[in-house]
């Protein structure tokens, strides 16, 4: 059984499409999930969102045994959560940190990411399409690290 790629989304991303569309675009999180499933093809994925830091930590811990790779948009927790960083340190597979916007071109409080300390790679500023590119990159990394899909 192929282990899924976990795609985890942080706070306020449930409002994607309505939330500051001039910054985050008009695509909804359901649109983003649909795009990821098309890109993943026969590679299983788990696509989840929570506004709760505890829930995200629990999902990362679940991923330690259940997932082949982890794509995470921690949203605002990127810049505040040592607990999420500590959880990610336990994940044995590749980690892609993803942001819809280019956080480095935004307000200074969005410039220091704790997650980047452990992430294998970072995608930022490509809009919602960044998710599909992250899925494609993760499948390639899994092919290399596991001699094909898990
Ligand atoms: C999403 C958020 O919610 C913000 O807190 C981050 C990130 C940026 C994004 O670009 O996906 O600053």
């Amino acid at each position: 059984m192929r282990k899924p790629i976990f795609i985890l989304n942080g706070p306020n991303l449930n409002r994607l499409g309505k939330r500051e569309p001039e910054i985050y675009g008009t695509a909804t999180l359901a649109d983003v999930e649909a795009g990821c499933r098309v890109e993943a093809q026969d590679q299983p994925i788990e696509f989840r969102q929570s506004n709760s830091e505890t829930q995200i930590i629990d999902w990362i811990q679940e991923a330690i045994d259940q997932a082949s790779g982890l794509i995470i948009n921690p949203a605002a927790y990127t810049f505040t959560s040592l607990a999420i960083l500590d959880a990610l340190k336990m994940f044995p597979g590749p980690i892609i940190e993803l942001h819809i916007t280019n956080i480095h071109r935004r307000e200074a409080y969005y410039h220091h990411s704790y997650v980047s300390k452990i992430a294998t790679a970072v995608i930022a500023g490509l809009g919602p399409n960044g998710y599909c590119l992250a899925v494609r990159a993760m499948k390639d990394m899994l092919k290399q690290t596991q001699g094909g899909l898990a």
Side-chain angles (χ1 to χ4, degrees), residues 134-145:
V135 170
R136 193 180 308 167
M138 183 60 77
K139 286 173 70 180
D140 288 347
M141 279 197 272
L142 293 173
K143 247 189 223 122
Q144 274 136 43
T145 54

Side-chain angles (χ1 to χ4, degrees), residues 2-139:
R2 287 184 192 179
K3 282 184 178 180
I5 296 168
F6 273 36
I7 305 174
L8 304 181
N9 296 279
N12 304 305
L13 290 168
N14 55 311
R15 300 287 301 174
L16 205 57
K18 294 191 190 82
R19 171 197 183 193
E20 299 176 280
E22 70 285 358
I23 296 175
Y24 297 102
T26 56
T28 65
L29 198 60
D31 296 333
V32 170
E33 180 176 356
C36 289
R37 292 194 183 283
V38 170
E39 187 67 45
Q41 294 172 329
D42 56 358
Q43 164 63 47
I45 65 170
E46 277 291 324
F47 191 98
R48 303 177 186 176
Q49 186 278 336
S50 177
N51 295 331
S52 155
E53 186 177 13
T54 304
Q55 178 63 81
I56 291 166
I57 291 163
D58 290 346
W59 286 339
I60 294 168
Q61 292 186 358
E62 180 190 343
I64 292 169
D65 302 314
Q66 305 300 323
S68 53
L70 183 54
I71 295 169
I72 184 165
N73 183 345
Y77 291 143
T78 305
F79 320 102
T80 60
S81 183
L82 285 175
I84 286 178
L85 171 60
D86 287 346
L88 290 170
K89 285 177 183 172
M90 297 184 279
F91 183 71
I95 298 169
I96 297 179
E97 173 187 352
L98 187 143
H99 302 286
I100 295 166
T101 63
N102 178 355
I103 56 175
H104 304 290
R105 205 172 66 177
R106 299 187 62 188
E107 299 87 338
Y109 45 75
Y110 289 143
H111 292 176
H112 174 265
S113 164
Y114 284 110
V115 173
S116 294
K117 306 287 176 215
I118 193 70
T120 312
V122 180
I123 294 177
L126 297 175
N129 193 38
Y131 283 86
C132 296
L133 297 171
V135 170
R136 193 180 308 167
M138 183 60 77
K139 286 173 70 180

